[in-house]
Short mmCIF file of all heavy atoms in Angstrom, two decimals:
data_model
loop_
_atom_site.label_atom_id
_atom_site.label_comp_id
_atom_site.label_asym_id
_atom_site.label_seq_id
_atom_site.Cartn_x
_atom_site.Cartn_y
_atom_site.Cartn_z
N MET A 119 0.84 -1.20 0.00
CA MET A 119 0.00 0.00 0.00
C MET A 119 0.88 1.25 0.00
O MET A 119 1.82 1.35 0.75
CB MET A 119 -0.92 -0.02 1.23
CG MET A 119 -1.94 1.09 1.25
SD MET A 119 -3.33 0.78 0.16
CE MET A 119 -4.35 -0.22 1.23
N VAL A 120 0.53 2.18 -0.88
CA VAL A 120 1.28 3.43 -0.99
C VAL A 120 0.41 4.56 -0.47
O VAL A 120 -0.80 4.59 -0.73
CB VAL A 120 1.65 3.71 -2.46
CG1 VAL A 120 2.50 4.96 -2.57
CG2 VAL A 120 2.38 2.52 -3.06
N ASN A 121 1.02 5.46 0.27
CA ASN A 121 0.30 6.61 0.81
C ASN A 121 0.96 7.87 0.27
O ASN A 121 2.14 8.10 0.49
CB ASN A 121 0.37 6.57 2.35
CG ASN A 121 -0.40 7.70 2.97
OD1 ASN A 121 0.15 8.78 3.16
ND2 ASN A 121 -1.63 7.47 3.28
N THR A 122 0.20 8.66 -0.47
CA THR A 122 0.75 9.86 -1.09
C THR A 122 -0.10 11.06 -0.73
O THR A 122 -1.33 10.97 -0.68
CB THR A 122 0.76 9.72 -2.63
OG1 THR A 122 1.22 8.43 -2.98
CG2 THR A 122 1.66 10.76 -3.26
N THR A 123 0.56 12.18 -0.49
CA THR A 123 -0.16 13.41 -0.16
C THR A 123 0.00 14.42 -1.29
O THR A 123 1.09 14.63 -1.82
CB THR A 123 0.38 14.01 1.15
OG1 THR A 123 0.20 13.05 2.19
CG2 THR A 123 -0.37 15.28 1.52
N TYR A 124 -1.13 15.00 -1.67
CA TYR A 124 -1.15 16.02 -2.73
C TYR A 124 -1.71 17.30 -2.15
O TYR A 124 -2.41 17.29 -1.14
CB TYR A 124 -2.05 15.56 -3.89
CG TYR A 124 -1.61 14.27 -4.51
CD1 TYR A 124 -2.15 13.07 -4.08
CD2 TYR A 124 -0.67 14.26 -5.53
CE1 TYR A 124 -1.75 11.86 -4.65
CE2 TYR A 124 -0.26 13.06 -6.11
CZ TYR A 124 -0.81 11.87 -5.66
OH TYR A 124 -0.40 10.69 -6.22
N GLN A 125 -1.42 18.38 -2.86
CA GLN A 125 -1.95 19.67 -2.45
C GLN A 125 -2.92 20.13 -3.53
O GLN A 125 -2.58 20.18 -4.72
CB GLN A 125 -0.78 20.67 -2.32
CG GLN A 125 -1.15 21.97 -1.65
CD GLN A 125 -1.45 21.79 -0.17
OE1 GLN A 125 -0.86 20.96 0.49
NE2 GLN A 125 -2.39 22.55 0.34
N VAL A 126 -4.15 20.44 -3.11
CA VAL A 126 -5.18 20.85 -4.06
C VAL A 126 -5.66 22.26 -3.72
O VAL A 126 -5.91 22.59 -2.56
CB VAL A 126 -6.38 19.88 -4.04
CG1 VAL A 126 -7.53 20.40 -4.88
CG2 VAL A 126 -5.95 18.50 -4.54
N GLN A 127 -5.75 23.07 -4.77
CA GLN A 127 -6.14 24.47 -4.62
C GLN A 127 -7.59 24.67 -5.04
O GLN A 127 -8.03 24.07 -6.02
CB GLN A 127 -5.25 25.29 -5.55
CG GLN A 127 -5.01 26.71 -5.11
CD GLN A 127 -3.90 27.33 -5.95
OE1 GLN A 127 -3.85 27.14 -7.15
NE2 GLN A 127 -3.00 28.05 -5.30
N GLY A 128 -8.32 25.48 -4.30
CA GLY A 128 -9.63 25.92 -4.73
C GLY A 128 -10.81 25.32 -3.99
O GLY A 128 -11.95 25.71 -4.24
N MET A 129 -10.57 24.38 -3.08
CA MET A 129 -11.69 23.79 -2.33
C MET A 129 -12.13 24.74 -1.23
O MET A 129 -11.31 25.27 -0.49
CB MET A 129 -11.28 22.44 -1.72
CG MET A 129 -10.92 21.38 -2.74
SD MET A 129 -10.58 19.79 -1.95
CE MET A 129 -9.07 20.17 -1.06
N THR A 130 -13.45 24.95 -1.15
CA THR A 130 -13.95 25.91 -0.16
C THR A 130 -14.98 25.34 0.81
O THR A 130 -15.32 25.98 1.79
CB THR A 130 -14.59 27.12 -0.87
OG1 THR A 130 -15.60 26.63 -1.76
CG2 THR A 130 -13.55 27.91 -1.65
N CYS A 131 -15.54 24.17 0.50
CA CYS A 131 -16.58 23.63 1.39
C CYS A 131 -16.67 22.12 1.29
O CYS A 131 -15.94 21.50 0.52
CB CYS A 131 -17.94 24.26 1.06
SG CYS A 131 -18.60 23.71 -0.53
N GLY A 132 -17.59 21.54 2.04
CA GLY A 132 -17.75 20.10 2.06
C GLY A 132 -18.12 19.53 0.70
O GLY A 132 -17.80 18.38 0.38
N HIS A 133 -18.77 20.34 -0.10
CA HIS A 133 -19.16 19.89 -1.44
C HIS A 133 -17.92 19.69 -2.31
O HIS A 133 -17.82 18.72 -3.07
CB HIS A 133 -20.10 20.93 -2.06
CG HIS A 133 -20.94 20.36 -3.16
ND1 HIS A 133 -20.59 20.49 -4.49
CD2 HIS A 133 -22.08 19.65 -3.12
CE1 HIS A 133 -21.52 19.87 -5.22
NE2 HIS A 133 -22.43 19.36 -4.41
N CYS A 134 -16.98 20.61 -2.19
CA CYS A 134 -15.72 20.50 -2.91
C CYS A 134 -14.98 19.24 -2.47
O CYS A 134 -14.43 18.51 -3.31
CB CYS A 134 -14.82 21.70 -2.61
SG CYS A 134 -15.57 23.30 -2.96
N VAL A 135 -14.97 19.00 -1.17
CA VAL A 135 -14.30 17.82 -0.63
C VAL A 135 -14.91 16.55 -1.21
O VAL A 135 -14.20 15.64 -1.63
CB VAL A 135 -14.41 17.80 0.92
CG1 VAL A 135 -13.94 16.47 1.49
CG2 VAL A 135 -13.62 18.96 1.52
N SER A 136 -16.25 16.52 -1.29
CA SER A 136 -16.94 15.35 -1.85
C SER A 136 -16.57 15.13 -3.31
O SER A 136 -16.35 14.00 -3.75
CB SER A 136 -18.45 15.51 -1.75
OG SER A 136 -18.82 15.68 -0.42
N ALA A 137 -16.51 16.23 -4.06
CA ALA A 137 -16.20 16.13 -5.50
C ALA A 137 -14.79 15.58 -5.71
O ALA A 137 -14.58 14.68 -6.54
CB ALA A 137 -16.34 17.50 -6.16
N VAL A 138 -13.83 16.10 -4.97
CA VAL A 138 -12.45 15.64 -5.10
C VAL A 138 -12.32 14.19 -4.64
O VAL A 138 -11.68 13.36 -5.29
CB VAL A 138 -11.49 16.55 -4.30
CG1 VAL A 138 -10.09 15.95 -4.21
CG2 VAL A 138 -11.42 17.93 -4.95
N THR A 139 -12.98 13.87 -3.52
CA THR A 139 -12.93 12.50 -3.00
C THR A 139 -13.49 11.51 -4.01
O THR A 139 -12.91 10.44 -4.24
CB THR A 139 -13.72 12.40 -1.68
OG1 THR A 139 -13.17 13.34 -0.75
CG2 THR A 139 -13.65 11.02 -1.08
N ALA A 140 -14.60 11.89 -4.65
CA ALA A 140 -15.23 11.00 -5.63
C ALA A 140 -14.35 10.80 -6.86
O ALA A 140 -14.15 9.67 -7.31
CB ALA A 140 -16.59 11.56 -6.04
N GLU A 141 -13.81 11.89 -7.39
CA GLU A 141 -13.00 11.78 -8.61
C GLU A 141 -11.68 11.04 -8.37
O GLU A 141 -11.32 10.15 -9.12
CB GLU A 141 -12.70 13.17 -9.19
CG GLU A 141 -13.88 13.83 -9.86
CD GLU A 141 -14.36 13.08 -11.11
OE1 GLU A 141 -13.57 12.33 -11.71
OE2 GLU A 141 -15.53 13.26 -11.47
N VAL A 142 -10.98 11.42 -7.32
CA VAL A 142 -9.70 10.77 -7.03
C VAL A 142 -9.94 9.32 -6.59
O VAL A 142 -9.19 8.41 -6.94
CB VAL A 142 -8.90 11.56 -5.97
CG1 VAL A 142 -7.62 10.83 -5.59
CG2 VAL A 142 -8.56 12.95 -6.49
N GLY A 143 -11.05 9.11 -5.87
CA GLY A 143 -11.40 7.76 -5.43
C GLY A 143 -11.74 6.84 -6.59
O GLY A 143 -11.72 5.63 -6.45
N GLY A 144 -12.05 7.43 -7.75
CA GLY A 144 -12.39 6.64 -8.92
C GLY A 144 -11.18 6.17 -9.72
O GLY A 144 -11.33 5.39 -10.66
N ILE A 145 -9.99 6.64 -9.34
CA ILE A 145 -8.78 6.21 -10.05
C ILE A 145 -8.50 4.75 -9.71
O ILE A 145 -8.62 4.34 -8.55
CB ILE A 145 -7.57 7.08 -9.63
CG1 ILE A 145 -7.79 8.54 -10.02
CG2 ILE A 145 -6.28 6.54 -10.25
CD1 ILE A 145 -6.75 9.49 -9.43
N ALA A 146 -8.14 3.97 -10.72
CA ALA A 146 -7.86 2.55 -10.53
C ALA A 146 -6.78 2.34 -9.47
O ALA A 146 -5.75 3.01 -9.49
CB ALA A 146 -7.42 1.92 -11.84
N GLY A 147 -7.05 1.46 -8.53
CA GLY A 147 -6.07 1.12 -7.51
C GLY A 147 -6.14 1.96 -6.25
O GLY A 147 -5.44 1.68 -5.28
N VAL A 148 -7.00 2.98 -6.26
CA VAL A 148 -7.12 3.85 -5.08
C VAL A 148 -8.08 3.23 -4.07
O VAL A 148 -9.19 2.81 -4.42
CB VAL A 148 -7.60 5.26 -5.48
CG1 VAL A 148 -7.97 6.09 -4.23
CG2 VAL A 148 -6.52 5.98 -6.27
N HIS A 149 -7.63 3.14 -2.84
CA HIS A 149 -8.44 2.55 -1.78
C HIS A 149 -9.14 3.59 -0.93
O HIS A 149 -10.28 3.42 -0.52
CB HIS A 149 -7.56 1.71 -0.84
CG HIS A 149 -7.19 0.42 -1.43
ND1 HIS A 149 -8.00 -0.67 -1.43
CD2 HIS A 149 -6.06 0.04 -2.11
CE1 HIS A 149 -7.41 -1.67 -2.06
NE2 HIS A 149 -6.24 -1.26 -2.48
N GLU A 150 -8.40 4.64 -0.61
CA GLU A 150 -8.98 5.63 0.28
C GLU A 150 -8.46 7.02 -0.03
O GLU A 150 -7.29 7.19 -0.40
CB GLU A 150 -8.65 5.27 1.73
CG GLU A 150 -9.57 5.99 2.71
CD GLU A 150 -9.29 5.64 4.16
OE1 GLU A 150 -8.73 4.55 4.40
OE2 GLU A 150 -9.61 6.47 5.02
N VAL A 151 -9.34 8.00 0.10
CA VAL A 151 -8.97 9.39 -0.13
C VAL A 151 -9.41 10.18 1.10
O VAL A 151 -10.55 10.09 1.53
CB VAL A 151 -9.68 9.97 -1.37
CG1 VAL A 151 -9.27 11.42 -1.61
CG2 VAL A 151 -9.40 9.13 -2.60
N GLN A 152 -8.47 10.94 1.65
CA GLN A 152 -8.82 11.80 2.77
C GLN A 152 -8.45 13.23 2.41
O GLN A 152 -7.34 13.51 1.98
CB GLN A 152 -8.05 11.36 4.03
CG GLN A 152 -8.73 10.16 4.68
CD GLN A 152 -8.00 9.70 5.92
OE1 GLN A 152 -6.78 9.75 5.96
NE2 GLN A 152 -8.74 9.27 6.92
N VAL A 153 -9.43 14.11 2.57
CA VAL A 153 -9.23 15.51 2.21
C VAL A 153 -9.31 16.37 3.45
O VAL A 153 -10.26 16.28 4.23
CB VAL A 153 -10.30 15.98 1.20
CG1 VAL A 153 -10.11 17.45 0.86
CG2 VAL A 153 -10.27 15.13 -0.07
N ASP A 154 -8.30 17.20 3.63
CA ASP A 154 -8.33 18.18 4.71
C ASP A 154 -8.65 19.52 4.07
O ASP A 154 -7.82 20.11 3.38
CB ASP A 154 -6.98 18.22 5.45
CG ASP A 154 -7.06 19.12 6.67
OD1 ASP A 154 -6.89 20.35 6.52
OD2 ASP A 154 -7.32 18.60 7.76
N LEU A 155 -9.88 19.97 4.30
CA LEU A 155 -10.35 21.20 3.66
C LEU A 155 -9.52 22.42 4.07
O LEU A 155 -9.19 23.26 3.22
CB LEU A 155 -11.83 21.41 4.01
CG LEU A 155 -12.50 22.65 3.43
CD1 LEU A 155 -12.43 22.67 1.92
CD2 LEU A 155 -13.94 22.72 3.90
N ALA A 156 -9.18 22.51 5.33
CA ALA A 156 -8.46 23.68 5.83
C ALA A 156 -7.11 23.88 5.15
O ALA A 156 -6.72 25.01 4.86
CB ALA A 156 -8.28 23.56 7.34
N THR A 157 -6.42 22.78 4.87
CA THR A 157 -5.07 22.89 4.30
C THR A 157 -5.04 22.58 2.81
O THR A 157 -4.05 22.85 2.14
CB THR A 157 -4.10 21.91 5.00
OG1 THR A 157 -4.60 20.58 4.82
CG2 THR A 157 -3.98 22.21 6.48
N GLY A 158 -6.10 21.96 2.29
CA GLY A 158 -6.12 21.56 0.88
C GLY A 158 -5.32 20.30 0.65
O GLY A 158 -5.03 19.92 -0.49
N ARG A 159 -4.97 19.64 1.72
CA ARG A 159 -4.14 18.45 1.61
C ARG A 159 -5.03 17.22 1.32
O ARG A 159 -6.03 17.01 1.99
CB ARG A 159 -3.38 18.24 2.92
CG ARG A 159 -2.09 17.51 2.75
CD ARG A 159 -1.24 17.61 3.99
NE ARG A 159 -0.62 18.93 4.12
CZ ARG A 159 0.10 19.30 5.17
NH1 ARG A 159 0.25 18.48 6.19
NH2 ARG A 159 0.65 20.48 5.20
N VAL A 160 -4.61 16.46 0.32
CA VAL A 160 -5.37 15.27 -0.07
C VAL A 160 -4.45 14.07 0.07
O VAL A 160 -3.40 14.00 -0.57
CB VAL A 160 -5.88 15.39 -1.52
CG1 VAL A 160 -6.59 14.11 -1.95
CG2 VAL A 160 -6.80 16.60 -1.66
N THR A 161 -4.83 13.14 0.93
CA THR A 161 -4.02 11.96 1.18
C THR A 161 -4.69 10.76 0.52
O THR A 161 -5.88 10.52 0.71
CB THR A 161 -3.87 11.73 2.70
OG1 THR A 161 -3.33 12.92 3.26
CG2 THR A 161 -2.93 10.58 2.99
N VAL A 162 -3.91 10.03 -0.26
CA VAL A 162 -4.45 8.93 -1.05
C VAL A 162 -3.73 7.63 -0.74
O VAL A 162 -2.50 7.56 -0.78
CB VAL A 162 -4.31 9.24 -2.56
CG1 VAL A 162 -4.91 8.12 -3.40
CG2 VAL A 162 -4.97 10.58 -2.91
N ASP A 163 -4.50 6.60 -0.43
CA ASP A 163 -3.96 5.25 -0.26
C ASP A 163 -4.22 4.49 -1.55
O ASP A 163 -5.36 4.44 -2.02
CB ASP A 163 -4.68 4.51 0.88
CG ASP A 163 -4.24 5.01 2.24
OD1 ASP A 163 -3.20 5.69 2.33
OD2 ASP A 163 -4.94 4.71 3.22
N SER A 164 -3.18 3.90 -2.11
CA SER A 164 -3.35 3.16 -3.36
C SER A 164 -2.46 1.92 -3.39
O SER A 164 -1.49 1.82 -2.64
CB SER A 164 -3.03 4.06 -4.55
OG SER A 164 -1.73 4.59 -4.43
N ASP A 165 -2.82 0.98 -4.28
CA ASP A 165 -2.06 -0.26 -4.44
C ASP A 165 -0.65 0.02 -4.92
O ASP A 165 0.31 -0.56 -4.44
CB ASP A 165 -2.73 -1.16 -5.49
CG ASP A 165 -4.00 -1.80 -4.96
OD1 ASP A 165 -4.08 -2.00 -3.73
OD2 ASP A 165 -4.89 -2.09 -5.77
N GLN A 166 -0.58 0.89 -5.94
CA GLN A 166 0.69 1.21 -6.59
C GLN A 166 0.90 2.72 -6.53
O GLN A 166 -0.07 3.46 -6.38
CB GLN A 166 0.63 0.82 -8.08
CG GLN A 166 0.10 -0.57 -8.37
CD GLN A 166 1.11 -1.65 -8.04
OE1 GLN A 166 2.31 -1.37 -7.98
NE2 GLN A 166 0.64 -2.86 -7.81
N PRO A 167 2.15 3.16 -6.71
CA PRO A 167 2.36 4.61 -6.83
C PRO A 167 1.53 5.13 -8.00
O PRO A 167 1.47 4.49 -9.05
CB PRO A 167 3.85 4.73 -7.13
CG PRO A 167 4.45 3.48 -6.59
CD PRO A 167 3.40 2.41 -6.78
N LEU A 168 0.87 6.26 -7.82
CA LEU A 168 -0.01 6.80 -8.86
C LEU A 168 0.76 7.72 -9.79
O LEU A 168 1.70 8.39 -9.38
CB LEU A 168 -1.15 7.58 -8.22
CG LEU A 168 -2.09 6.78 -7.32
CD1 LEU A 168 -3.05 7.72 -6.60
CD2 LEU A 168 -2.84 5.73 -8.11
N ASP A 169 0.31 7.74 -11.04
CA ASP A 169 0.84 8.68 -12.01
C ASP A 169 0.27 10.05 -11.64
O ASP A 169 -0.94 10.23 -11.59
CB ASP A 169 0.38 8.25 -13.41
CG ASP A 169 0.91 9.18 -14.50
OD1 ASP A 169 1.32 10.32 -14.20
OD2 ASP A 169 0.89 8.73 -15.66
N THR A 170 1.15 11.00 -11.36
CA THR A 170 0.70 12.33 -10.93
C THR A 170 -0.25 12.95 -11.95
O THR A 170 -1.19 13.66 -11.58
CB THR A 170 1.91 13.26 -10.70
OG1 THR A 170 2.78 12.64 -9.77
CG2 THR A 170 1.47 14.61 -10.15
N GLU A 171 0.00 12.68 -13.23
CA GLU A 171 -0.86 13.27 -14.27
C GLU A 171 -2.27 12.69 -14.22
O GLU A 171 -3.24 13.38 -14.57
CB GLU A 171 -0.24 13.09 -15.66
CG GLU A 171 1.05 13.90 -15.84
CD GLU A 171 0.95 15.35 -15.36
OE1 GLU A 171 -0.01 16.03 -15.76
OE2 GLU A 171 1.80 15.78 -14.56
N VAL A 172 -2.40 11.47 -13.79
CA VAL A 172 -3.73 10.85 -13.64
C VAL A 172 -4.46 11.51 -12.47
O VAL A 172 -5.65 11.82 -12.56
CB VAL A 172 -3.60 9.32 -13.42
CG1 VAL A 172 -4.94 8.70 -13.06
CG2 VAL A 172 -3.04 8.66 -14.68
N VAL A 173 -3.73 11.76 -11.40
CA VAL A 173 -4.32 12.43 -10.23
C VAL A 173 -4.69 13.86 -10.61
O VAL A 173 -5.76 14.35 -10.26
CB VAL A 173 -3.34 12.41 -9.04
CG1 VAL A 173 -3.92 13.17 -7.85
CG2 VAL A 173 -2.99 10.98 -8.65
N ARG A 174 -3.81 14.50 -11.36
CA ARG A 174 -4.06 15.87 -11.80
C ARG A 174 -5.35 15.94 -12.64
O ARG A 174 -6.18 16.84 -12.46
CB ARG A 174 -2.88 16.39 -12.63
CG ARG A 174 -3.01 17.87 -13.01
CD ARG A 174 -1.91 18.30 -13.96
NE ARG A 174 -0.58 17.96 -13.49
CZ ARG A 174 0.08 18.64 -12.55
NH1 ARG A 174 -0.47 19.70 -12.01
NH2 ARG A 174 1.26 18.27 -12.16
N ALA A 175 -5.51 14.98 -13.53
CA ALA A 175 -6.70 14.94 -14.39
C ALA A 175 -7.97 14.75 -13.57
O ALA A 175 -9.00 15.37 -13.84
CB ALA A 175 -6.55 13.83 -15.43
N ALA A 176 -7.89 13.90 -12.55
CA ALA A 176 -9.06 13.64 -11.69
C ALA A 176 -9.44 14.89 -10.90
O ALA A 176 -10.61 15.25 -10.79
CB ALA A 176 -8.77 12.48 -10.74
N VAL A 177 -8.42 15.56 -10.36
CA VAL A 177 -8.66 16.78 -9.59
C VAL A 177 -9.23 17.87 -10.51
O VAL A 177 -10.16 18.59 -10.14
CB VAL A 177 -7.35 17.25 -8.91
CG1 VAL A 177 -7.49 18.66 -8.33
CG2 VAL A 177 -6.93 16.28 -7.82
N ASP A 178 -8.69 17.92 -11.71
CA ASP A 178 -9.15 18.89 -12.70
C ASP A 178 -10.60 18.61 -13.08
O ASP A 178 -11.41 19.53 -13.22
CB ASP A 178 -8.25 18.77 -13.94
CG ASP A 178 -8.46 19.93 -14.90
OD1 ASP A 178 -8.01 21.04 -14.57
OD2 ASP A 178 -9.08 19.72 -15.95
N GLU A 179 -10.93 17.34 -13.21
CA GLU A 179 -12.30 16.91 -13.54
C GLU A 179 -13.28 17.37 -12.45
O GLU A 179 -14.42 17.74 -12.74
CB GLU A 179 -12.32 15.38 -13.68
CG GLU A 179 -13.61 14.80 -14.22
CD GLU A 179 -13.89 15.22 -15.65
OE1 GLU A 179 -12.94 15.41 -16.43
OE2 GLU A 179 -15.07 15.36 -15.98
N ALA A 180 -12.81 17.33 -11.21
CA ALA A 180 -13.64 17.77 -10.09
C ALA A 180 -13.79 19.29 -10.07
O ALA A 180 -14.67 19.83 -9.41
CB ALA A 180 -13.05 17.27 -8.77
N GLY A 181 -12.90 19.98 -10.81
CA GLY A 181 -12.98 21.44 -10.90
C GLY A 181 -11.95 22.20 -10.09
O GLY A 181 -12.08 23.40 -9.85
N TYR A 182 -10.87 21.48 -9.69
CA TYR A 182 -9.85 22.11 -8.86
C TYR A 182 -8.47 21.91 -9.48
O TYR A 182 -8.34 21.25 -10.50
CB TYR A 182 -9.92 21.55 -7.43
CG TYR A 182 -11.33 21.67 -6.91
CD1 TYR A 182 -12.20 20.59 -7.01
CD2 TYR A 182 -11.82 22.88 -6.45
CE1 TYR A 182 -13.52 20.72 -6.63
CE2 TYR A 182 -13.13 23.02 -6.06
CZ TYR A 182 -13.99 21.94 -6.15
OH TYR A 182 -15.29 22.08 -5.80
N ASN A 183 -7.47 22.49 -8.81
CA ASN A 183 -6.11 22.41 -9.34
C ASN A 183 -5.16 21.68 -8.39
O ASN A 183 -5.15 21.97 -7.19
CB ASN A 183 -5.55 23.82 -9.58
CG ASN A 183 -6.31 24.56 -10.64
OD1 ASN A 183 -6.54 24.05 -11.72
ND2 ASN A 183 -6.73 25.77 -10.31
N LEU A 184 -4.39 20.78 -8.99
CA LEU A 184 -3.35 20.12 -8.23
C LEU A 184 -2.14 21.05 -8.20
O LEU A 184 -1.69 21.51 -9.25
CB LEU A 184 -2.98 18.78 -8.89
CG LEU A 184 -2.11 17.85 -8.09
CD1 LEU A 184 -2.87 17.29 -6.88
CD2 LEU A 184 -1.61 16.71 -8.95
N VAL A 185 -1.64 21.32 -7.01
CA VAL A 185 -0.48 22.20 -6.88
C VAL A 185 0.77 21.34 -6.93
O VAL A 185 0.87 20.33 -6.24
CB VAL A 185 -0.53 22.96 -5.53
CG1 VAL A 185 0.69 23.86 -5.37
CG2 VAL A 185 -1.81 23.77 -5.44
N ASP A 186 1.73 21.74 -7.76
CA ASP A 186 2.96 20.97 -7.86
C ASP A 186 3.79 21.12 -6.60
O ASP A 186 3.88 22.21 -6.02
CB ASP A 186 3.76 21.43 -9.08
CG ASP A 186 3.09 21.01 -10.37
OD1 ASP A 186 2.90 19.79 -10.55
OD2 ASP A 186 2.74 21.88 -11.18
N ALA A 187 4.36 20.02 -6.17
CA ALA A 187 5.14 20.01 -4.93
C ALA A 187 6.40 20.83 -5.11
O ALA A 187 6.90 20.97 -6.20
CB ALA A 187 5.49 18.58 -4.55
CU1 CU B 408 -17.37 23.69 -2.17
#
């Protein structure tokens, strides 16, 4: 199991959190997504290391921006 933390910009409420959780949670191999609204930090548990561009696309689909580390 791999645990990766991403930084997401633009989330303002619980609805945003739900949208990001749903999109990122839909990526193949992802088991769990935890979003901290206050910090914009998104923690993802997955089988394999994720392709950052795949995560970026999912976050973008939800309507937000992945901040580069
Ligand atoms: Cu919102």
Side-chain angles (χ1 to χ4, degrees):
M119 187 77 85
V120 183
N121 182 272
T122 316
T123 300
Y124 301 93
Q125 191 70 33
V126 172
Q127 208 168 42
M129 297 185 292
T130 55
C131 70
H133 202 263
C134 304
V135 170
S136 301
V138 170
T139 302
E141 286 295 338
V142 176
I145 297 170
V148 170
H149 284 278
E150 198 179 336
V151 181
Q152 280 180 324
V153 178
D154 186 276
L155 179 59
T157 59
R159 208 167 284 175
V160 177
T161 305
V162 181
D163 285 344
S164 56
D165 286 332
Q166 312 285 338
L168 298 172
D169 181 341
T170 305
E171 293 314 309
V172 171
V173 177
R174 186 186 308 282
V177 169
D178 192 73
E179 188 65 32
Y182 307 96
N183 295 310
L184 191 69
V185 179
D186 290 301

